Amino acid sequence: MDLLCRQLVLRRLWLSLPVSHHPCFRGISIKSSLSLPWYHEHLGTRNRRERGHKSPIKVEEHNTGILRTPGVVPVDKLTKETLCQLLAQNVVFREGPLVAINKPQGLRITESSSETSVMSLLPELQQLLQIESELQVVKAAPKQSSGLVLLSSCHVTTKRLEDYYTQCRKSRKPFTTFCAITLGVPSPAEGDVKVVLKVEQIGDLDLAVPVMHPTKGSLERREVKRTETCYKVLNSVDECSLLQLQPMTTFQDQLLVHCTLKFCPVLGDHTYSARVAKVLGQNICVPVENALPKTQLVDESILRRMHFPLHQVHRMPLHLHLHQLLMPSDRRGQYPAQLTAPPPPFFQKTMELLGLKMEK
């Protein structure tokens, strides 16, 4: 316990020192004009390029890049009619009262006064699919990810499915499987992430942050929550990974935060990826108060392989997809054991360009 306390104290002292005072930088001239935190000093060159300086990266925006693939256009640029048609075209399962669609990344589920949502599109979708009864959302991928949305036009079926997923959660049986492309390879290649999270206002945003020492009272009052995700590396090439993620709990941005805690932020994560940095080749966790959301820093070699221009990195879509959803046993054989939705075209194109493969 004394050793752990000593390590924590040393780490806090290390983070509090100016860069010029760190032992690793003694004898090295540091320009005081740089305003970046010390753990971003090694990224100074790249940041200058982002501010308009010449970059050695020369990327031709031809048809091999993901910016030319369907699904990259932000959903807020699409009309409600276009979105509704898009959902109707991406029905991956339809049997009896159930309909499963493969939603685009960035489309929220619940209704909002400022954004189009799946729920606000249900009346038009119901009409387009020629369904008589009102559609209800049973399970769905979160706003920031693409993937499965399970709909039902029968209240009895909806209740049965909701009870099944509640029982799965109580018995610790994962029923959703995501796939993600990450910058970095977690170690070990298979395991789980268990951490207490809470939502905290940082700047103007409500962000999920880890809580290292939660109190019993905060857990009982549900101010914080224990979260868990099982992960597995399906494939990795040159410090990029294709991960399988199975959340055992649900919490705001849980998968994104858990990936940063394994030093492998999801490609296209412009919210939490700043919490990971490298110093002298070693991964470090940046304090959350200093890691405000910003355009993700992607290695130049990865951008070249993706044929992705540096000045367009802010348009990099989030490579997180709800791939599979478990279904309850069906004696009549009407429904499959699990529903599957293929990753969007841009996700598949990135896999191809980076050399990542997913077993069928």
Side-chain angles (χ1 to χ4, degrees):
M1 192 68 181
D2 291 341
L3 178 61
L4 178 61
C5 292
R6 193 179 300 114
Q7 288 176 340
L8 289 172
V9 170
L10 288 172
R11 182 178 180 276
R12 295 187 70 177
L13 285 172
W14 176 272
L15 292 174
S16 65
L17 283 173
V19 60
S20 58
H21 291 178
H22 279 281
C24 296
F25 292 97
R26 284 175 185 166
I28 299 177
S29 175
I30 304 294
K31 293 183 179 180
S32 59
S33 59
L34 291 177
S35 59
L36 295 171
W38 70 270
Y39 42 77
H40 283 158
E41 293 289 348
H42 71 298
L43 301 171
T45 303
R46 186 177 299 171
N47 287 335
R48 285 195 295 276
R49 291 174 188 152
E50 290 180 345
R51 291 195 294 268
H53 292 260
K54 291 183 179 180
S55 168
I57 301 180
K58 294 182 180 180
V59 179
E60 295 181 8
E61 294 186 53
H62 45 67
N63 290 332
T64 58
I66 71 168
L67 288 178
R68 300 298 181 92
T69 59
V72 178
V73 178
V75 295
D76 58 1
K77 304 294 183 183
L78 303 176
T79 64
K80 288 186 68 173
E81 183 182 1
T82 303
L83 269 173
C84 201
Q85 291 175 349
L86 183 65
L87 294 181
Q89 291 167 5
N90 283 276
V91 172
V92 293
F93 176 80
R94 183 174 179 179
E95 189 67 46
L98 293 184
V99 178
I101 57 178
N102 194 0
K103 88 168 183 74
Q105 184 254 325
L107 179 61
R108 66 182 295 119
I109 304 301
T110 55
E111 293 194 65
S112 168
S113 57
S114 59
E115 295 178 276
T116 304
S117 66
V118 170
M119 292 186 70
S120 68
L121 294 171
L122 287 183
E124 289 87 348
L125 185 63
Q126 177 187 330
Q127 208 169 32
L128 201 58
L129 296 176
Q130 297 181 344
I131 297 173
E132 295 181 1
S133 303
E134 182 181 346
L135 285 171
Q136 304 165 315
V137 177
V138 182
K139 280 293 168 191
K143 173 190 172 181
Q144 69 268 26
S145 77
S146 56
L148 282 164
V149 176
L150 180 58
L151 307 171
S152 169
S153 60
C154 171
H155 291 283
V156 175
T157 303
T158 301
K159 182 67 167 60
R160 177 172 172 246
L161 287 166
E162 289 175 343
D163 290 344
Y164 170 72
Y165 294 129
T166 300
Q167 188 57 42
C168 283
R169 191 172 286 113
K170 288 180 179 178
S171 60
R172 295 181 50 77
K173 180 181 181 181
F175 55 87
T176 55
T177 299
F178 289 75
C179 56
I181 296 177
T182 64
L183 302 176
V185 184
S187 179
E190 185 173 356
D192 55 21
V193 181
K194 296 179 181 179
V195 66
V196 174
L197 295 178
K198 70 173 181 178
V199 175
E200 183 175 305
Q201 185 171 6
I202 300 177
D204 296 329
L205 300 173
D206 291 329
L207 302 176
V209 299
V211 180
M212 294 299 105
H213 304 290
T215 64
K216 184 178 178 181
S218 64
L219 287 165
E220 291 175 347
R221 292 189 298 271
R222 297 186 179 181
E223 298 169 351
V224 300
K225 182 178 179 179
R226 300 186 191 276
T227 62
E228 180 181 358
T229 300
C230 298
Y231 72 89
K232 181 180 180 181
V233 178
L234 301 178
N235 195 214
S236 63
V237 178
D238 297 333
E239 292 304 308
C240 293
S241 301
L242 176 63
L243 296 189
Q244 172 186 284
L245 301 169
Q246 292 182 314
M248 307 297 290
T249 55
T250 56
F251 196 82
Q252 174 184 316
D253 300 334
Q254 174 178 316
L255 296 180
L256 298 180
V257 176
H258 284 187
C259 283
T260 62
L261 292 174
K262 295 300 293 184
F263 301 114
C264 54
V266 177
L267 180 61
D269 176 11
H270 305 297
T271 303
Y272 295 98
S273 61
R275 295 183 182 182
V276 178
K278 275 187 181 288
V279 174
L280 301 179
Q282 297 297 314
N283 289 311
I284 67 161
C285 284
V286 179
V288 294
E289 61 271 15
N290 296 328
L292 297 178
K294 65 175 183 177
T295 299
Q296 187 176 39
L297 293 167
V298 183
D299 192 86
E300 294 175 2
S301 63
I302 295 173
L303 293 177
R304 286 195 188 95
R305 285 155 57 194
M306 293 179 66
H307 306 290
F308 208 104
L310 181 63
H311 68 277
Q312 295 278 20
V313 174
H314 65 280
R315 290 183 57 197
M316 181 76 73
L318 185 70
H319 289 64
L320 179 65
H321 177 74
L322 177 49
H323 185 50
Q324 293 177 332
L325 178 65
L326 211 61
M327 296 287 284
S329 58
D330 179 21
R331 295 178 182 177
R332 294 180 295 175
Q334 189 178 13
Y335 306 131
Q338 62 185 18
L339 300 176
T340 302
F346 74 81
F347 193 113
Q348 297 185 44
K349 192 66 181 178
T350 298
M351 287 174 54
E352 177 189 332
L353 293 172
L354 296 181
L356 296 168
K357 296 179 181 179
M358 181 186 293
E359 293 183 5
K360 292 184 179 180

